[in-house]
Amino acid sequence: AARAAAADERRAAAERLVETLREDLAKANDALLDARNESARLRRDGEAGFRSRDDALEALRAREASARNDADALRCEAAALRRERDDAGRVESAATRALKESEALARDEADAARREAASLKRERDAARFDDESRRARERSFKEEAGALRSERDDLRRDAA
């Protein structure tokens, strides 16, 4: 259960991070679009705050390249997080499978214990019955012995 909870926490953290990365990627794409728009505007207007139009275009190209690099890095990080989330899912599945196997084993052991208890109860009942039968036979033998003693005594008296 603890492994499953930890896997859930990791999955939730990974999903939050993926969402954050998506937002960052959207921001980077917006920055890239802004840089392209600014580049286009500068090309159209021809008014750059730099010494020359070439410097302005070079600065915009550098910003575009930086935005592209940021977007690529975010894509890589998102892919790594997806892999981590998938790994956490596999760990959770394995933990769930192990838990089910443990529960099945515990049920099997409980069933075996119940069967053993029933068998022991049957043996105890049989032993009790055997004990009662033995006592009844002993009583019968004692009664018969008593009757034989009485008969012997009667015969001795008659013989005397």
Side-chain angles (χ1 to χ4, degrees):
R3 283 189 262 169
D8 287 341
E9 288 177 22
R10 285 194 305 270
R11 186 180 317 117
E15 288 173 2
R16 286 191 302 272
L17 193 50
V18 167
E19 187 59 37
T20 301
L21 290 173
R22 284 185 182 140
E23 292 170 6
D24 291 346
L25 182 59
K27 288 177 187 176
N29 285 336
D30 289 344
L32 179 60
L33 185 61
D34 289 344
R36 285 181 180 157
N37 288 339
E38 187 175 340
S39 175
R41 184 187 63 77
L42 288 174
R43 271 188 236 115
R44 273 192 319 269
D45 296 343
E47 296 177 5
F50 299 95
R51 284 180 301 211
S52 71
R53 181 177 203 139
D54 291 339
D55 290 341
L57 290 175
E58 187 60 35
L60 286 175
R61 284 188 195 106
R63 285 177 57 195
E64 285 178 10
S66 175
R68 264 189 245 108
N69 289 340
D70 290 346
D72 289 343
L74 288 172
R75 280 188 206 98
C76 289
E77 194 171 339
L81 287 172
R82 279 192 296 276
R83 284 190 299 274
E84 186 176 320
R85 180 191 63 203
D86 293 345
D87 290 345
R90 283 189 289 278
V91 167
E92 179 184 10
S93 295
T96 301
R97 199 169 34 257
L99 178 63
K100 286 180 181 178
E101 289 171 0
S102 297
E103 289 171 347
L105 183 60
R107 280 192 302 274
D108 292 346
E109 288 175 358
D111 290 344
R114 279 193 288 278
R115 285 191 300 275
E116 180 69 18
S119 174
L120 290 173
K121 183 179 184 295
R122 284 191 299 275
E123 286 178 22
R124 184 192 69 211
D125 291 346
R128 189 178 293 149
F129 177 76
D130 288 346
D131 191 43
E132 289 172 5
S133 293
R134 183 186 51 78
R135 285 187 191 143
R137 281 193 313 271
E138 284 176 0
R139 276 193 306 273
S140 173
F141 289 144
K142 283 179 185 177
E143 289 171 2
E144 190 176 330
L148 288 172
R149 269 190 238 111
S150 291
E151 189 177 328
R152 182 192 68 197
D153 292 344
D154 287 345
L155 288 174
R156 278 188 186 162
R157 271 190 303 255
D158 287 346

